[in-house]
Amino acid sequence: PEMLAAAMGLQNAMISSWSGNAVRTTHMTGTATDMGSALGRMCARYCMKGFNYTDEDWDLHIVDRQKFVLMTCLLVSFIVGGDIGARGYRSFGVHSLFIPASLTIILGIGHMLYCIMNKEEMAQEKKAEEIFARQLSGQDAGEDADDAAAEQFIRQISGGGAKADRVEQFVRQISGKPADAGIGG
């Protein structure tokens, strides 16, 4: 049991650092809360305005819908994984932990090979992620060039245009920044 608790803590720490503390995978209380608040905001917006949404309302709706879908997928995956894990433990005992451990090792090796093959691109992404992390934590983002790099990173991962604005809005919502704050704000 102690090794399992340590493995869950390690998994949660890795996913939390990778996602900027936006996603947890070993407990679902915050996920269920985020899912409920996104659904509540969508329902409240509909009750107040019907489908007469302004562009800003649609953008907020899309962000809430994406967050709701992500949190729902996480919650369902957690429940299904728990069921599969319980069945595996009944069949194989403690040895059932070799299955997720093997998958983790395979994914880790695959990620390592990907990083080696895309070293230059990964360095640029790492710099943009560091800027992004500073912005999420409220620290000084630095020079305007750093802000431009962060904006470019967000536009690259989202495909640019209106979708990039929705991604930026989603990031602001997760980080608790006001809607009028820009990437560097």
Side-chain angles (χ1 to χ4, degrees), residues 107-163:
L107 289 173
I109 291 170
H111 180 70
M112 187 175 63
L113 292 173
Y114 173 82
C115 289
I116 290 170
M117 292 179 354
N118 298 303
K119 196 174 192 176
E120 186 176 311
E121 181 181 332
M122 295 298 293
Q124 291 173 348
E125 286 181 12
K126 184 174 181 177
K127 182 179 179 191
E129 286 174 3
E130 288 171 357
I131 295 165
F132 184 67
R134 284 196 312 256
Q135 291 167 344
L136 282 179
S137 67
Q139 296 175 357
D140 182 29
E143 305 170 8
D144 289 339
D146 288 344
D147 291 342
E151 286 183 31
Q152 180 184 3
F153 174 71
I154 286 179
R155 292 202 186 283
Q156 284 175 342
I157 64 171
S158 65
K163 189 174 181 185

Side-chain angles (χ1 to χ4, degrees), residues 39-117:
L39 181 61
R41 282 190 302 273
M42 287 189 297
C43 291
R45 194 175 303 112
Y46 174 76
C47 289
M48 289 188 298
K49 299 184 180 191
F51 279 114
N52 299 321
Y53 291 167
T54 63
D55 287 343
E56 184 179 344
D57 290 330
W58 274 114
D59 289 342
L60 291 171
H61 177 77
I62 289 169
V63 167
D64 284 333
R65 187 181 66 215
Q66 290 172 339
K67 188 172 188 177
F68 178 76
V69 168
L70 172 67
M71 297 303 162
T72 301
C73 289
L74 286 172
L75 186 60
V76 168
S77 297
F78 186 80
I79 292 168
V80 169
D83 182 59
I84 291 170
R87 291 172 192 262
Y89 185 78
R90 269 186 268 152
S91 298
F92 304 113
V94 132
H95 300 293
S96 64
L97 293 175
F98 287 126
I99 296 168
S102 300
L103 290 173
T104 302
I105 289 169
I106 291 168
L107 289 173
I109 291 170
H111 180 70
M112 187 175 63
L113 292 173
Y114 173 82
C115 289
I116 290 170
M117 292 179 354

